[in-house]
Amino acid sequence: MVLQILGVVIILLVSASPAGRADPAPVQYSAINCRKHTAVLTDFGAVGDGKTLNTKAFETAVANLSQFAADGGAQLIVPAGKWLTGSFNLTSHFTLFLHKDAVILGSQVNMEDWPLVAPLPSFGTAADGSTGARHASLLFGANLTDVVITGNNGTIDGQGANWWDDFKNKKLKDARPFLVEIQSTDQLQISNVTFTNSPMWNVHPVYCSNVVIQGVTILAPVEVPNTDGINPDSCTNIRIEDCYIASGDDCIAVKSGIDQYGIKVGKPTKQLAIRRVTCVSPDSAVVALGSEMSGGIQDVRIEDVTAINCQSGIRIKTAVGRGGYVKDIFARRMTMSGMEKVFWMSGAYKSHADGGFDPNALPVVHNISYRDVVAQNVTVSAVLDGLEKSHFTGICISNVTLNLGPAARELQWNCTNVAGTTSRVTPKPCDELPEKAGDCPFPEDKLPIDDVVLKSCSTA
């Protein structure tokens, strides 16, 4: 039996395959670490017909490959086919590699295929405001080290339509699942995979460090709410690059917990680089900072971003009761078209985890720099609303040209409780941001994550 001799079989897979199995042709790929041992999902009884439930096969594969964590790690190859599964956990020193014609399908058989898990400590309740528990993500992992989810553009399809309908019709007691949630993990890579039809958020690293997300495509119907693209949450040292995201919510939403729960956990998101991202999001932002920001957000660097038909470019959203801070945020070289609002800061975001928030916990928003921005077909240039008892300060906007569209509003800059400066900005900004010669700053030093160089690996 394969499982009885599994340890031997996996060690020998590179040079010899079990009788009758056709291994996929070797593929070169880049990863934070390569693996010494290799197995194919079909070794564990999986059937790629899009109908057979393969949760047990994924679970057995990961459990058996976990024995190699201390011996060079292991990679699980998902070959061409449609692999139906419920939620399953990943392990340390592990790579999940999707063949270009592989599709992992989220089960629609029953909700038990997506077991319930507790809310995150920094949220207190489910992320969509549900009062119950939440369903586990399709791919899940916690307290791990060195995890890679990659491929040559294989697909993870959440088949979320039933979840969307039930949410819209208020039939769900518990919150919808994500496609990927990885918690409390050091060294995480997600790359060269297409995510589509997520029931809710797509990619959610939370309480993680040293995270690389690159070459990812995320596709969600733009009319479906809460289908955020990538949500780094209470993470440190993150690099998001070369991604295409079409979403019914924020393409990238930077978070760190909400209200008293996020304040208590106190884990900020910091040292985040976002580069070369294209976003389509008619109802939300290219990059949102908050509204769950009670643990703090600091040192975010956004550059070379393309926005197409988006509600806003960069949006800072917070509220009385959040506490925390959003500071040292830098963006440059953004190209946009079809924008409802280009710059948006909201101090009166309405949602709360529950009624237990502290009304004296005021957020701090400071040192926000935007430069080198060009936008076409703009409706409103900026809505900047700070708080009466906590003004948003240190705002700098320079070298910005916003070309108005046919639906442009008469009031282009609406500013309250904010302070800062502008330089060479068209249309003319509000009086709260007077002209001051010079460019806004953008850090020239490297973040620690930029020292991470991916290695050349093989599926063989």
Side-chain angles (χ1 to χ4, degrees), residues 15-211:
S15 57
S17 301
R21 189 189 78 189
D23 280 349
V27 175
Q28 299 296 123
Y29 67 95
S30 298
I32 51 177
N33 285 301
C34 302
R35 309 303 179 194
K36 183 178 177 180
H37 305 281
T38 300
V40 179
L41 182 61
T42 48
D43 296 338
F44 304 91
V47 179
D49 60 1
K51 300 177 182 178
T52 303
L53 190 64
N54 293 293
T55 310
K56 180 59 68 175
F58 276 106
E59 290 174 342
T60 303
V62 173
N64 280 275
L65 295 178
S66 66
Q67 67 183 300
F68 297 112
D71 184 31
Q75 56 187 356
L76 178 64
I77 311 303
V78 182
K82 295 182 178 180
W83 309 94
L84 186 70
T85 182
S87 302
F88 65 93
N89 292 348
L90 305 182
T91 189
S92 292
H93 306 290
F94 175 80
T95 296
L96 182 70
F97 184 94
L98 277 70
H99 182 275
K100 66 181 179 65
D101 295 318
V103 182
I104 295 178
L105 293 172
S107 172
Q108 294 180 313
V109 177
N110 57 60
M111 284 196 176
E112 285 69 32
D113 294 330
W114 307 75
L116 294 177
V117 295
L120 291 164
S122 54
F123 278 72
T125 59
D128 68 350
S130 300
T131 56
R134 61 195 186 108
H135 291 274
S137 62
L138 190 61
L139 276 62
F140 182 80
N143 303 304
L144 304 178
T145 301
D146 181 17
V147 177
V148 176
I149 301 168
T150 191
N152 52 348
N153 208 32
T155 299
I156 299 176
D157 184 344
Q159 299 199 105
N162 289 345
W163 294 98
W164 306 333
D165 290 344
D166 286 349
F167 177 76
K168 180 179 179 180
N169 294 316
K170 303 186 186 305
K171 293 182 179 180
L172 294 176
K173 174 185 175 184
D174 304 298
R176 291 168 287 164
F178 309 151
L179 278 187
V180 177
E181 180 174 271
I182 307 296
Q183 298 181 15
S184 304
T185 292
D186 181 53
Q187 300 179 59
L188 170 64
Q189 175 187 334
I190 302 173
S191 63
N192 301 104
V193 174
T194 294
F195 298 95
T196 187
N197 297 319
S198 178
M200 196 173 154
W201 298 353
N202 281 269
V203 177
H204 184 221
V206 57
Y207 316 140
C208 292
S209 57
N210 301 307
V211 178

Side-chain angles (χ1 to χ4, degrees), residues 241-266:
E241 297 178 321
D242 304 304
C243 296
Y244 177 90
I245 305 170
S247 172
D249 213 295
D250 302 316
C251 286
I252 297 174
V254 186
K255 302 178 181 293
S256 65
I258 185 169
D259 296 346
Q260 70 272 28
Y261 302 104
I263 293 171
K264 181 178 180 180
V265 171

